[in-house]
Amino acid sequence: MGKKDNAKERYEDLSEFSENELTKIAEQFSKKFRVTDGSNFQLKNFDPTEDGGIKKDDKSSAKKILQLGVDLLADMQEKLYAQDKWSVLVIFQAMDAAGKDGAIKHVMSGINPQGCHVTSFKAPSSEELDHDFLWRCIKNLPERGRIGIFNRSYYEEVLVVRVHENILENQKLAAKLKTENIWDERLRDIRNYENYLAANGTLICKIFLNVSKEEQKERFIERIDTPSKNWKFSEGDVKERQFWDKYMHAYEEAIKATATDKAPWYVIPADDKAFARIAVASAIIHTMNSVELRFPKLPADKIAALQTIKKQLLEENKNYC
């Protein structure tokens, strides 16, 4: 994201830029991870180990640049809230231990909680299974002026369900609806729905944290070796590793079918958490800067009325004296 070859100097240099310059830098940086046309997309062309030159034993520079991104997002979110014309939907998808929770925690740390809502989607409840596969996500969409974050989403229906097709048996679908084209049909529905959201003022940012199988193994081992992280470990997560290739195929097909200019995917290298968080912040900044976010400007008569009220308040002080 900077001008020099040395990573530490590159990140520290960014503190000298203005807010507008930082926004442009974030956009340029995130473009290499942005997919708007999936016709030629291949996951193998995206390296999960990319780290931007950040050394694992020196994260101070990465923290500084991330904080710049956090501050910039906080300013953009304040304008989004005040303007009340757009909403932002950020979707996180990834394999287990890819760093979704950490990215959400660190990148969104400066956002006003009143203007942001995080929804984590687990296995569907009985109520949710009585509705279409988009329903539970639709009812958690952000209102205008707010940021909604989906930790997993309706994409699970073309990922985990595609890998484990037996899950379809519990979805109460009529037999004739479980055709050989069901995945293409669901992906078509998702693409159409995202186009609909975009046409109604929702800015969509879809993030795939692209972690390598080797790095996932190391993180699982760390969860076992670190008592404070034992609670994060699930034997089921390890069992899913045997389906790794099927998951990668499902992700590739999903991105191919649903990457558009209005609802792009950002395929973020996730082996280095610090770098991934910078890339995630840049992607969200890029998304929010696609429209003009600004504080509402009052009409002349309203401004004149405010000046009258101000005069009254000042006169009130004189009366007390």
Side-chain angles (χ1 to χ4, degrees), residues 104 117-121 136 140-141 148-153:
I104 293 170
H117 180 66
V118 180
T119 306
S120 295
F121 293 97
R136 66 176 182 160
N140 284 289
L141 287 171
I149 299 173
F150 284 178
N151 187 341
R152 302 191 188 279
S153 66

Side-chain angles (χ1 to χ4, degrees), residues 247-292:
Y247 272 111
M248 293 302 103
H249 173 71
Y251 271 110
E252 185 168 276
E253 291 300 302
I255 293 171
K256 275 184 178 181
T258 63
T260 67
D261 186 59
K262 295 296 185 181
W265 278 98
Y266 290 86
V267 182
I268 304 295
D271 278 17
D272 186 282
K273 292 180 180 179
F275 182 76
R277 291 164 186 169
I278 292 171
V280 167
S282 296
I284 301 174
I285 289 169
H286 191 172
T287 300
M288 295 181 70
N289 200 51
S290 64
V291 297
E292 184 182 1

Side-chain angles (χ1 to χ4, degrees), residues 97 219-226 229-230 232-233 237:
R219 292 181 186 180
F220 282 160
I221 292 173
E222 182 184 10
R223 289 180 178 183
I224 294 171
D225 290 342
T226 308
K229 294 184 178 182
N230 287 170
K232 291 184 176 183
F233 183 76
D237 293 344

Side-chain angles (χ1 to χ4, degrees), residues 59-77:
K59 299 298 184 183
S60 61
S61 56
K63 288 181 179 179
K64 289 179 181 178
I65 184 58
L66 178 59
Q67 188 58 51
L68 289 173
V70 168
D71 293 342
L72 185 53
L73 281 172
D75 178 72
M76 297 176 85
Q77 185 257 340

Side-chain angles (χ1 to χ4, degrees), residues 17-35:
F17 288 103
S18 69
E19 188 173 290
N20 186 52
E21 289 172 328
L22 283 172
T23 301
K24 292 180 179 178
I25 291 171
E27 285 191 354
Q28 190 62 38
F29 175 70
S30 66
K31 279 183 180 179
K32 67 184 299 185
F33 309 119
R34 194 170 190 257
V35 182

Side-chain angles (χ1 to χ4, degrees), residues 91-130:
I91 294 175
F92 283 88
Q93 291 289 160
M95 296 294 285
D96 296 308
K100 296 189 303 300
D101 292 341
I104 293 170
K105 174 183 176 181
H106 288 84
V107 174
M108 310 307 291
S109 61
I111 298 297
N112 186 334
Q114 292 185 97
C116 182
H117 180 66
V118 180
T119 306
S120 295
F121 293 97
K122 308 295 184 182
S125 66
S126 58
E127 179 191 21
E128 290 166 345
L129 289 172
D130 276 331

